[in-house]
PDB file of all heavy atoms in Angstrom:
ATOM      1  N   LEU T  18      -3.532 -40.433  14.998  1.00 88.00           N
ATOM      2  CA  LEU T  18      -2.997 -39.431  14.087  1.00 88.00           C
ATOM      3  C   LEU T  18      -3.490 -38.044  14.474  1.00 88.00           C
ATOM      4  O   LEU T  18      -4.659 -37.864  14.832  1.00 88.00           O
ATOM      5  CB  LEU T  18      -3.402 -39.752  12.655  1.00 88.00           C
ATOM      6  CG  LEU T  18      -2.824 -41.039  12.087  1.00 88.00           C
ATOM      7  CD1 LEU T  18      -3.434 -41.350  10.739  1.00 88.00           C
ATOM      8  CD2 LEU T  18      -1.315 -40.934  11.960  1.00 88.00           C
ATOM      9  N   SER T  26      -0.782 -20.747  -0.478  1.00 93.00           N
ATOM     10  CA  SER T  26      -0.848 -19.835  -1.632  1.00 93.00           C
ATOM     11  C   SER T  26      -0.108 -20.470  -2.796  1.00 93.00           C
ATOM     12  O   SER T  26       1.068 -20.824  -2.675  1.00 93.00           O
ATOM     13  CB  SER T  26      -0.209 -18.495  -1.294  1.00 93.00           C
ATOM     14  OG  SER T  26      -0.925 -17.843  -0.279  1.00 93.00           O
ATOM     15  N   LEU T  27      -0.812 -20.614  -3.909  1.00 91.00           N
ATOM     16  CA  LEU T  27      -0.229 -21.177  -5.125  1.00 91.00           C
ATOM     17  C   LEU T  27      -0.533 -20.253  -6.304  1.00 91.00           C
ATOM     18  O   LEU T  27      -1.527 -19.531  -6.295  1.00 91.00           O
ATOM     19  CB  LEU T  27      -0.795 -22.567  -5.398  1.00 91.00           C
ATOM     20  CG  LEU T  27      -0.321 -23.666  -4.446  1.00 91.00           C
ATOM     21  CD1 LEU T  27      -1.157 -24.917  -4.620  1.00 91.00           C
ATOM     22  CD2 LEU T  27       1.139 -23.973  -4.686  1.00 91.00           C
ATOM     23  N   LEU T  33      -5.774 -21.632  -0.495  1.00 95.00           N
ATOM     24  CA  LEU T  33      -6.443 -22.895  -0.181  1.00 95.00           C
ATOM     25  C   LEU T  33      -6.249 -23.246   1.284  1.00 95.00           C
ATOM     26  O   LEU T  33      -5.183 -23.002   1.853  1.00 95.00           O
ATOM     27  CB  LEU T  33      -5.848 -24.039  -1.002  1.00 95.00           C
ATOM     28  CG  LEU T  33      -6.039 -24.051  -2.502  1.00 95.00           C
ATOM     29  CD1 LEU T  33      -5.215 -25.178  -3.120  1.00 95.00           C
ATOM     30  CD2 LEU T  33      -7.508 -24.254  -2.825  1.00 95.00           C
ATOM     31  N   SER T  55       5.503 -24.422 -11.490  1.00 79.00           N
ATOM     32  CA  SER T  55       4.143 -24.092 -11.924  1.00 79.00           C
ATOM     33  C   SER T  55       3.996 -23.864 -13.427  1.00 79.00           C
ATOM     34  O   SER T  55       2.946 -24.207 -13.972  1.00 79.00           O
ATOM     35  CB  SER T  55       3.593 -22.900 -11.157  1.00 79.00           C
ATOM     36  OG  SER T  55       4.299 -21.723 -11.455  1.00 79.00           O
ATOM     37  N   GLY T  75      -4.092 -34.332  -1.449  1.00 97.00           N
ATOM     38  CA  GLY T  75      -4.910 -33.708  -2.485  1.00 97.00           C
ATOM     39  C   GLY T  75      -4.559 -32.296  -2.875  1.00 97.00           C
ATOM     40  O   GLY T  75      -5.280 -31.677  -3.648  1.00 97.00           O
TER      41      GLY T  75
END
Side-chain angles (χ1 to χ4, degrees):
L18 295 172
S26 296
L27 289 168
L33 293 173
S55 67

